[in-house]
Amino acid sequence: MDRHIPFDALHNVRDLGGLTTTDGLRIRPGLLYRADSLGKLSPDTPDWDRFLSLGIGTVVDLRRPWEIETHGRIPAHPSFRYHHLSIEHRAYDQAALNTEADLSAYLTQRYLEVAEEGAQEIAQALHLIAEAATTGTPLIFHCASGKDRTGLVAALTLSLLNTPTATIVEDFTLTELAAPALLADWTARHGHPPQWLAFGRAPAEVMRHLLTHLTARHGSIEAYVTESLHLDARTISTTLRTRLLEEPTYSQDELTFRQATDSDAPTLVRLRDSAALWMLARGIDQWKPGEKDETHFRTRIREGEVWLAHHGDHLAGAYELWWDDPAAWGPRPPEAGYIHRLMTTPHTAPPGTGRALLTHAESRIKAHGHPYARLDCLATNPHLRTYYEKAGYKVVGEQQAKKDGKGSPYAVTLLEKQLSP
């Protein structure tokens, strides 16, 4: 479910495998990784053993020389080659910025500077990625937080693989899940929090603006690679696509369901935040990361039901089931179950998982003797409304001022399905 690979000292290690391209192919897992500073690794530790188990053959360090001198580099090991390619030529210190700085505009401008001024090193990084792909050897590239310089190289690589813009944006924003830990590390290292409150943030509009500006300036990302990096974009794209892509396959395992317990609350928070980032990357303004914490899910587990769905050993989705919902539906007799937070794991859930979650929720409602399944969606989300209508739900009204205890009231469309006896 979670593309972040767990380490003790590292917080932003991710496998780019599993992401799909515009033509329906999938990046092969276990070949291309991105990370925060691997200088935090130490031999003879569980982290070191975990890293070596990935089979990495090439490490690309994108940090500046002073960062390596101050914070160290990955320990040498005969299993991989180490390359230092400092793609950032102009010094700037995000942590010391005035809190009034515009995050999106500032980061977009910095990324554009790096894209042009670090062209030689970026070209070398892409060459190494293509070389590793050709030999089938896993490669990892990293900077300090695994967000800015790493995000730029990841975006270019994903573009050459013909990955949709929304997926590239989403991949960038996943640093948001690691931001609290990265911030805590920085604060512990310096003895005080950074001045810039947006330190570690990775909003969708930053990567979206970068890709838009590069395309406007050069005509396309491929033209940028050809003109600024002096690489044959078509050749490198063909190499990457031939070696790194595969037809997506799913095991024949059926989904299995189990009722959530309090210990599942962190997983549910992570799943919801991942789904929120998926939405925001696609311009769907419905959920925001951080809106629902562990307390929320523990409350729903206690007062209703929360179910997890697994596909084999992997989490595929989850949903909440309430037995009343006065905020949206007003006072009602005990005749329905109310489905909330229907969530599937981005990129890894098998096709049809969302419909299977709905079917399972409806079976739970029938088991309680209620004839109706009810749910709501934002009135401004017609695609989601259509999805539910295709699943047999009918629009039965609107609530113009739903309140969930946070923020301003918002309008939702009310949908209902009568369940067969």
Side-chain angles (χ1 to χ4, degrees):
M1 179 274 290
D2 194 339
R3 287 179 49 220
H4 281 86
I5 301 173
F7 285 84
D8 296 325
L10 307 178
H11 309 299
N12 206 11
V13 182
R14 307 205 298 270
D15 187 349
L16 292 176
L19 299 180
T20 53
T21 61
T22 55
D23 50 355
L25 298 176
R26 180 180 70 177
I27 301 175
R28 292 170 58 195
L31 287 178
L32 190 57
Y33 298 90
R34 53 177 295 170
D36 50 326
S37 175
L38 299 183
K40 293 180 282 187
L41 292 173
S42 300
D44 301 320
T45 63
D47 269 1
W48 184 242
D49 294 340
R50 192 172 295 117
F51 176 79
L52 293 179
S53 73
L54 298 177
I56 301 296
T58 304
V59 174
V60 180
D61 189 339
L62 304 172
R63 295 174 299 159
R64 286 177 283 175
W66 72 263
E67 292 175 281
I68 297 172
E69 293 171 6
T70 303
H71 303 299
R73 50 151 283 185
I74 187 172
H77 193 272
S79 65
F80 59 77
R81 297 177 300 151
Y82 172 81
H83 299 268
H84 175 218
L85 298 173
S86 178
I87 69 173
E88 186 179 274
H89 293 187
R90 192 179 306 192
Y92 65 95
D93 186 357
Q94 288 186 33
L97 286 175
N98 185 286
T99 55
E100 299 300 319
D102 184 303
L103 173 63
S104 178
Y106 176 81
L107 287 182
T108 301
Q109 185 57 41
R110 296 292 79 74
Y111 293 1
L112 287 169
E113 289 172 359
V114 173
E116 301 298 347
E117 297 172 3
Q120 181 177 344
E121 291 81 6
I122 294 172
Q124 292 178 54
L126 291 179
H127 174 76
L128 288 170
I129 291 171
E131 182 181 77
T134 300
T135 61
T137 305
L139 175 146
I140 191 167
F141 54 95
H142 77 92
C143 55
S145 296
K147 174 175 73 79
D148 303 313
R149 290 160 288 186
T150 297
L152 174 58
V153 172
L156 296 174
T157 303
L158 292 174
S159 292
L160 291 169
L161 283 165
N162 200 25
T163 308
T165 297
T167 302
I168 297 172
V169 171
E170 178 196 351
D171 175 68
F172 173 74
T173 66
L174 285 178
T175 290
E176 293 276 338
L177 301 182
L182 294 170
L183 178 59
D185 269 7
W186 194 98
T187 301
R189 190 166 62 245
H190 293 85
H192 59 84
Q195 181 176 343
W196 196 24
L197 300 180
F199 179 81
R201 296 289 313 283
E205 63 266 20
V206 175
M207 182 54 66
R208 196 176 288 119
H209 290 164
L210 170 68
L211 297 174
T212 298
H213 282 292
L214 280 178
T215 300
R217 183 178 297 178
H218 296 278
S220 66
I221 301 300
E222 291 74 15
Y224 157 77
V225 170
T226 299
E227 296 168 2
S228 293
L229 306 188
H230 305 294
L231 295 174
D232 186 330
R234 179 174 296 181
T235 297
I236 196 170
S237 176
T238 299
T239 298
L240 293 176
R241 287 178 51 79
T242 300
R243 300 291 183 168
L244 293 181
L245 300 183
E246 64 182 7
E247 292 282 350
T249 58
Y250 298 94
S251 74
Q252 298 303 308
D253 293 339
E254 296 288 336
L255 289 179
T256 57
F257 291 85
R258 70 170 176 84
Q259 200 162 352
T261 64
D262 279 0
S263 64
D264 293 309
T267 297
L268 290 162
V269 171
R270 192 82 167 187
L271 173 57
R272 187 195 178 278
D273 286 350
S274 297
L277 293 172
W278 184 95
M279 292 179 187
L280 290 172
R282 288 155 181 80
I284 303 171
D285 188 13
Q286 180 158 327
W287 291 355
K288 303 289 193 306
E291 287 178 325
K292 303 298 179 186
D293 58 12
E294 293 180 21
T295 299
H296 164 84
F297 286 104
R298 292 192 176 104
T299 299
R300 300 322 316 167
I301 289 168
R302 183 176 65 253
E303 297 181 358
E305 295 182 3
V306 180
W307 287 83
L308 301 172
H310 285 79
H311 184 242
D313 295 331
H314 301 286
L315 182 65
Y319 71 87
E320 298 175 13
L321 188 56
W322 302 9
W323 300 118
D324 65 348
D325 186 6
W329 293 81
R332 295 289 181 112
E335 60 185 4
Y338 300 83
I339 303 168
H340 285 272
R341 262 160 290 287
L342 190 80
M343 307 178 285
T344 61
T345 54
H347 308 290
T348 59
T353 296
R355 189 65 66 87
L357 291 169
L358 279 176
T359 299
H360 187 269
E362 292 160 7
S363 72
R364 293 298 303 161
I365 295 169
K366 288 174 64 176
H368 277 257
H370 298 323
Y372 297 104
R374 290 174 179 154
L375 48 80
D376 66 79
C377 66
L378 279 180
T380 55
N381 192 341
H383 296 293
L384 186 57
R385 167 179 164 169
T386 299
Y387 176 84
Y388 288 132
E389 287 178 323
K390 289 182 177 179
Y393 287 78
K394 295 182 179 180
V395 175
V396 294
E398 285 201 357
Q399 165 60 270
Q400 292 296 323
K402 180 181 177 181
K403 298 180 180 180
D404 61 3
K406 297 180 180 179
S408 302
Y410 52 94
V412 295
T413 300
L414 305 177
L415 298 104
E416 180 180 86
K417 181 178 183 178
Q418 185 167 4
L419 305 178
S420 58

